[in-house]
Amino acid sequence: MKPQIKLATTQTPDGGKMELYQHDHDFLIKINGQELMNSRHHESEQELARLGCANLSSRRAPRVLIGGLGMGYTLRQTLDMLGADAHVFVSELLTAVVDWNREYLKDLNGGALDDKRTELITGIFSNCSPGQSTSSMRSCWMLIMAPAR
């Protein structure tokens, strides 16, 4: 059996340890030793995008916000479903997760971060955030998706 190889480590804002591992062709992200996600089981991330974008594909210039990049599967599926005029924002708290996507996970999500329709927001995101009223949120986004963790 091949071992898991630790590729990278970062600290979460609450002091936890987040690690990226590779096992054969699969990747895993763990927080404090507990598996958070892996590249072998990612259907729920894609389904989130399919359900969320189902009614947006015919809309003109949809604006979507994805809370959390993860391994990029939700972003990739969203881009695949929307047209060339879409604008997809991804808010990711940890710059290390962005770096991991660019360095290690790019082949998993087809380089979704490099798509011209993608805009990356790193750090704490407050513009048009959930603290705003529902009516002001609607003026910013047609869809907000945040995978459960």
Side-chain angles (χ1 to χ4, degrees):
M1 183 168 179
K2 293 186 179 181
Q4 290 182 356
I5 300 166
K6 187 189 302 183
L7 300 174
T9 303
T10 193
Q11 189 170 5
T12 63
D14 64 356
K17 185 165 71 169
M18 181 182 276
E19 301 165 310
L20 175 67
Y21 289 87
Q22 184 173 8
H23 179 257
D24 245 354
H25 300 289
D26 298 317
F27 293 88
L28 302 95
I29 295 178
K30 295 182 180 184
I31 294 183
N32 298 327
Q34 298 294 313
E35 187 175 312
L36 176 66
M37 63 184 66
N38 70 61
S39 60
R40 190 172 265 206
H41 304 284
H42 58 269
E43 182 61 30
S44 63
E45 288 86 353
Q46 292 173 310
E47 185 64 11
L48 175 66
R50 284 192 289 267
L51 290 171
C53 295
N55 294 320
L56 292 181
S57 58
S58 63
R59 301 215 35 199
R60 202 172 157 191
R63 294 170 49 91
V64 174
L65 171 63
I66 300 172
L69 177 58
M71 293 185 172
Y73 289 112
T74 302
L75 174 58
R76 174 77 273 153
Q77 186 67 43
T78 299
L79 292 168
D80 289 349
M81 292 188 69
L82 300 178
D85 62 347
H87 200 149
V88 182
F89 297 81
V90 179
S91 177
E92 176 53 56
L93 183 61
L94 301 173
T95 56
V97 173
V98 175
D99 295 341
W100 297 351
N101 269 265
R102 292 195 190 283
E103 186 173 349
Y104 303 108
L105 307 174
K106 190 174 189 171
D107 289 341
L108 296 180
N109 58 51
L113 285 175
D114 297 327
D115 190 295
K116 65 181 172 114
R117 298 170 292 166
T118 300
E119 184 171 330
L120 183 64
I121 304 161
T122 54
I124 296 175
F125 179 62
S126 61
N127 184 22
C128 293
S129 65
Q132 289 184 313
S133 70
T134 305
S135 60
S136 65
M137 294 273 299
R138 283 189 194 119
S139 67
C140 293
W141 313 108
M142 292 180 179
L143 175 67
I144 298 174
M145 294 185 286
R149 298 280 181 238

